[in-house]
Amino acid sequence: MKLYTYFRSSAAFRARIALNLKGIEFETLAKGLLKNEHKTAEYLAVNPQGLVPALDVGDGVVSQSLAIIEYLDETHPTPAFLPQDPLGRARVRAMAQSIACDIHPLNNMRVLNYLRREFKQDETAVNTWYRHWITEGFTALEANAREYSTSKRFLYDDSVTMADICLLPQMFNARRFEVNVAPFPTLVAISAHLESLPAFAAARPEVQPDAG
Ligand SMILES: N[C@@H](CCC(=O)N[C@@H](CS)C(=O)NCC(=O)O)C(=O)O
């Protein structure tokens, strides 16, 4: 498989974790977001959204990190990224989506650039915006984690799920933008455990071939 990725993209970080957990070797096709390499005609032919990640699975390309994660789970069932019972599956999906659909899109590069360019916001305002959406999202996710995590090692029960795959990259973003994570001790503890796992550690931005 070939992964269109950018070392600092947290959506691509999710896809890298998922590939590593399934033990799938993949080729890294880096798209430098700061160089607008994701907006070339060549890449738009691959992913018309012009976003990373996208995964070339051989007989086609899959975009959207949650779709990639579920595709990998359906084609490579072990380890399962979702629990067996419908309620558990819904809860895990809800936590994953609270990050991927509610926190992350508001803090994306193009959204921040729009605030800067169209609304003339300075870096202080942009950083305040960024921290606000993580803090709001993590407040709810901390409550979920306290209810669902049995071990404080994973967000749901005591095994890895797609919610964990979304959590660690978002925690990296929180730290990078100096969000106060003290009010979220369960998320911090789970993230520390996830980071110690080889599949998660190998997906970190700083160890990617295009890190610079
Ligand atoms: N919902 C998408 C989000 C993908 C996304 O927004 N990727 C970011 C990097 S994390 C990107 O390509 N940004 C380019 C831009 O904002 O121009 C997913 O989960 O894959």
Side-chain angles (χ1 to χ4, degrees):
M1 293 192 192
K2 295 177 187 173
L3 182 68
Y4 295 90
T5 176
Y6 176 60
F7 75 106
R8 208 167 246 163
S9 156
S10 56
F13 192 171
R14 295 175 204 144
R16 296 192 299 261
I17 295 168
L19 285 159
N20 292 343
L21 282 168
K22 297 293 189 184
I24 300 169
E25 288 194 11
F26 61 95
E27 188 182 331
T28 292
L29 299 176
K31 293 287 152 203
L33 300 189
L34 299 182
K35 294 187 223 157
N36 270 333
E37 290 174 358
H38 57 310
K39 297 297 180 195
T40 62
E42 184 200 4
Y43 186 60
L44 290 174
V46 173
N47 179 4
Q49 270 197 299
L51 300 172
V52 292
L55 184 66
D56 185 335
V57 299
D59 48 2
V61 173
V62 182
S63 63
Q64 288 289 339
S65 61
L66 294 184
I68 291 169
I69 291 166
E70 294 225 28
Y71 170 84
L72 293 174
D73 205 31
E74 288 167 11
T75 53
H76 299 75
T78 309
F81 290 161
L82 288 167
Q84 289 301 311
D85 63 302
L87 181 59
R89 295 165 80 82
R91 285 175 165 169
V92 166
R93 285 194 173 107
M95 287 192 282
Q97 289 173 22
S98 76
I99 294 170
C101 306
D102 295 333
I103 300 176
H104 176 260
L106 289 161
N107 286 347
N108 217 312
M109 190 176 90
R110 64 193 184 287
V111 172
L112 304 183
N113 284 341
Y114 199 79
L115 291 174
R116 291 181 184 111
R117 287 181 197 144
E118 306 300 320
F119 293 100
K120 312 293 176 214
Q121 296 301 307
D122 62 18
E123 286 312 297
T124 304
V126 169
N127 287 338
T128 301
W129 166 281
Y130 197 105
R131 293 181 190 124
H132 170 77
W133 297 115
I134 294 184
T135 302
E136 186 188 90
F138 273 11
T139 300
L141 194 61
E142 172 72 18
N144 290 151
R146 286 184 193 189
E147 184 177 353
Y148 303 145
S149 175
T150 51
S151 60
K152 307 292 177 265
R153 300 183 335 146
F154 300 99
L155 273 173
Y156 189 82
D157 207 351
D158 192 21
S159 58
V160 72
T161 66
M162 64 189 293
D164 300 303
I165 294 172
C166 293
L167 174 62
L168 190 65
Q170 194 60 59
M171 186 60 81
F172 265 60
N173 284 352
R175 287 192 210 133
R176 186 167 156 233
F177 282 83
E178 299 178 348
V179 173
N180 176 19
V181 292
F184 316 117
T186 317
L187 302 184
V188 169
I190 293 169
S191 298
H193 176 252
L194 296 174
E195 214 173 331
S196 73
L197 303 176
F200 285 77
R204 284 172 299 142
E206 62 269 28
V207 297
Q208 300 312 303
D210 58 323

